Amino acid sequence: MSVRFKVVIPARYGSTRLPGKPLLKIAGKPMIAHVCERAQEADADEIIVATDDERIFQAVTDLGIKAVMTRADHQSGTERIAEVARLCGWAGDEIIVNLQGDEPLIPPAYIRDVAAALAGQKQAGIATLAAKITDPEEIFNPNAVKVVLNHAGYALYFSRAPIPWERDAFTRSGGLPSGKLPHLRHIGMYAYTVDFLNRYCLWDASTLESVESLEQLRILWHGEAIRVEIVDQTPAAGVDTQEDLLRVEQVLRLNH
């Protein structure tokens, strides 16, 4: 089934560790250009970079990519995308994929997968991805967000803790998972309907999301479903540090 969807790429200039991150050059091009190429390879109907910075707006426009100036006071990329949907006048059932501006190695197939996961059901207005954890140490790593699903593939809970907690296996000295139930790592890519985004922007932040420092828990807190599609593996990490930049540079130079 061919799924129609749009991609919005939130891109901020400010970054504590890498100021001007979207415009940093990788393999001769700004990072944001590589991210847009991944969206083009996924066959998105429309690609828009959402930014609050004139430098990013100009750079993206010069590349022949559509950019939209948004407010500077958004607390999240989700809110920024909702503003783009309003400014563009998109219909409530339009599917929008939120593609992070620092993910130049994201597989284009995953962009299509998350859009298809949302389009293929009626219960949720949002879909995301997860992959099976193969390294037991990752289960106990708080930087790896875990998700537990119900029988139908919808999220029960997200946590930095090792969930599900296998009481018998984990309480043994050096205990390893039994394999009875796969542990899943959440991949932070989302597809939403415009109607869902409009509802989301009306909700207050929840205590639960502040405790875990996981924004997606706001959705469960307010009683909405999240569809989760399981993909083959966790994609390569995005760019947060200078070391990440060098790692991605090597990968992209090898691939071109």
Side-chain angles (χ1 to χ4, degrees):
M1 179 181 70
S2 178
V3 177
R4 299 181 65 87
F5 63 95
K6 304 177 189 297
V7 170
V8 179
I9 305 169
R12 294 176 58 252
Y13 193 88
S15 170
T16 305
R17 287 181 282 188
L18 282 177
K21 185 163 62 169
L23 301 183
L24 295 178
K25 292 290 181 68
I26 302 177
K29 290 185 286 192
M31 179 162 58
I32 193 70
H34 291 284
V35 177
C36 290
E37 287 172 5
R38 301 296 84 77
Q40 290 166 343
E41 291 161 5
D43 297 325
D45 290 338
E46 189 172 358
I47 302 163
I48 294 178
V49 173
T51 186
D52 58 4
D53 190 276
E54 288 283 358
R55 291 162 290 189
I56 295 174
F57 181 90
Q58 192 59 53
V60 168
T61 303
D62 289 346
L63 291 167
I65 299 162
K66 185 175 180 179
V68 171
M69 286 293 293
T70 56
R71 302 198 325 259
D73 60 346
H74 290 303
Q75 298 300 306
S76 68
T78 308
E79 292 177 5
R80 197 174 304 280
I81 291 171
E83 184 185 0
V84 171
R86 288 194 299 273
L87 291 171
C88 294
W90 291 338
D93 60 353
E94 289 277 8
I95 293 176
I96 304 171
V97 174
N98 176 351
L99 181 57
Q100 297 301 313
D102 58 3
E103 297 277 1
L105 298 181
I106 197 75
Y110 285 12
I111 302 172
R112 291 192 297 271
D113 287 345
V114 75
L118 182 58
Q121 51 80 62
K122 301 289 187 183
Q123 187 174 333
I126 177 172
T128 189
L129 304 177
K132 291 181 181 178
I133 295 176
T134 57
D135 178 1
E137 289 188 9
E138 196 172 328
I139 297 171
F140 299 92
N141 179 358
N143 294 317
V145 177
K146 275 69 67 176
V147 59
V148 174
L149 311 184
N150 70 8
H151 73 284
Y154 292 86
L156 289 171
Y157 192 63
F158 298 83
S159 182
R160 298 183 182 279
I163 57 170
W165 178 263
E166 292 202 51
R167 186 192 63 176
D168 293 337
F170 291 165
T171 51
R172 292 195 299 266
S173 178
L176 296 175
S178 68
K180 292 178 182 176
L181 192 67
H183 286 79
L184 299 173
R185 178 168 183 164
H186 179 226
I187 299 168
M189 174 181 284
Y190 298 96
Y192 330 88
T193 63
V194 172
D195 281 340
F196 170 85
L197 285 170
N198 292 336
R199 293 196 301 277
Y200 178 90
C201 290
L202 298 175
W203 298 336
D204 293 329
S206 70
T207 306
L208 189 60
E209 71 182 275
S210 64
V211 168
E212 288 254 24
S213 191
L214 295 175
E215 183 189 348
Q216 64 268 39
L217 290 175
R218 185 183 310 185
I219 300 161
L220 299 182
W221 176 271
H222 287 278
E224 295 234 8
I226 302 176
R227 177 79 173 98
V228 182
E229 182 75 8
I230 299 176
V231 294
D232 291 338
Q233 61 185 23
T234 302
V239 177
D240 282 322
T241 66
Q242 189 66 37
E243 290 74 19
D244 291 337
L245 199 68
L246 295 173
R247 169 180 53 81
V248 172
E249 170 96 20
Q250 290 177 331
V251 172
L252 287 174
R253 285 195 180 279
L254 283 173
N255 292 342
H256 289 80

